[in-house]
Amino acid sequence: MTPLDPADLPALIAQGEGETLEFKRSTAELDQVVQTVAALANTRGGRVLIGVSPDGRITGVDIGQVTLERVANQITGNTDPKIYPSLEVITAGERAVIVITVTESDDKPHEAAGRAWVLAGLVATQAPPADLAAVEADLRARIAEAEERIARGQTLLQTETDPERVARYRARLAELTAQVNACYDQISA
């Protein structure tokens, strides 16, 4: 996703909140911002605008010396695996809006507050077991495909043979399998 052109901010806000766009009034809502960032990374990506009310009014935020650093640290420190979104400040008139841009992740599911999140309509919600199972299946397929290509002696991209990345995929797969099993256990209990 490319940086947002300041001239495009009003048109973006006019679209309203949806599965790729969320408004937050202020940095006081950082816990919800982190959940939304995780949900966006787990789905199609998108943007969070801090300083915009749910009805689309630009309320603005006060930007101090450490505001962006605090927002970035809140996101990276409370997501697993860590998410490193793009942050920028766009000024609309006299009001500043923090624009957080999140791309769809290859390392999903991401958790915030110990839970995987997805956007369901206008709300970040816990990912249902079926979504987690789909991500688990995708990870299994990626690992199987890479192992099959290695067995055939095909050349792989550097990122596909990076031992740390493969180990990370395997660790996420084990965690995800445990989460899916726990969800199914709760459902059947």
Side-chain angles (χ1 to χ4, degrees):
M1 217 175 264
T2 59
L4 183 64
D5 184 324
D8 294 335
L9 182 63
L12 181 65
I13 292 171
Q15 292 175 15
E17 292 182 300
E19 292 185 4
T20 60
L21 182 63
E22 178 98 7
F23 303 151
K24 297 297 179 191
R25 284 186 185 94
S26 72
T27 55
E29 298 179 89
L30 280 181
D31 288 342
Q32 293 87 7
V33 167
V34 173
Q35 292 170 359
T36 301
V37 167
L40 290 169
N42 287 335
T43 53
R44 295 184 300 161
R47 289 191 166 100
V48 179
L49 306 181
I50 303 176
V52 178
S53 67
D55 64 4
R57 282 183 305 108
I58 297 176
T59 56
V61 291
D62 293 327
I63 304 293
Q65 287 183 334
V66 296
T67 304
L68 291 181
E69 181 179 347
R70 186 172 66 109
V71 171
N73 287 341
Q74 185 77 11
I75 293 167
T76 58
N78 291 291
T79 54
D80 183 33
K82 292 185 182 310
I83 299 172
Y84 298 94
S86 168
L87 279 77
E88 58 187 315
V89 176
I90 293 182
T91 304
E94 297 291 315
R95 298 189 174 127
V97 175
I98 299 173
V99 178
I100 303 170
T101 302
V102 183
T103 58
E104 181 177 356
S105 176
D106 289 333
D107 292 331
K108 52 185 154 182
H110 290 273
E111 297 177 356
R115 297 184 171 131
W117 299 87
V118 293
L119 279 178
L122 301 179
V123 180
T125 185
Q126 269 188 276
D131 286 357
L132 293 176
V135 173
E136 176 187 19
D138 180 57
L139 280 175
R140 284 186 188 281
R142 282 193 231 172
I143 290 170
E145 180 183 346
E147 287 174 343
E148 184 178 306
R149 289 170 65 190
I150 290 168
R152 289 193 314 249
Q154 291 181 330
T155 304
L156 301 175
L157 298 174
Q158 174 84 25
T159 57
E160 293 176 310
T161 59
D162 177 16
E164 288 180 20
R165 186 174 180 133
V166 172
R168 209 172 57 240
Y169 274 166
R170 288 185 184 280
R172 287 299 292 157
L173 179 59
E175 291 172 15
L176 193 53
T177 300
Q179 287 178 1
V180 169
N181 290 337
C183 287
Y184 285 128
D185 289 346
Q186 288 177 354
I187 291 169
S188 62

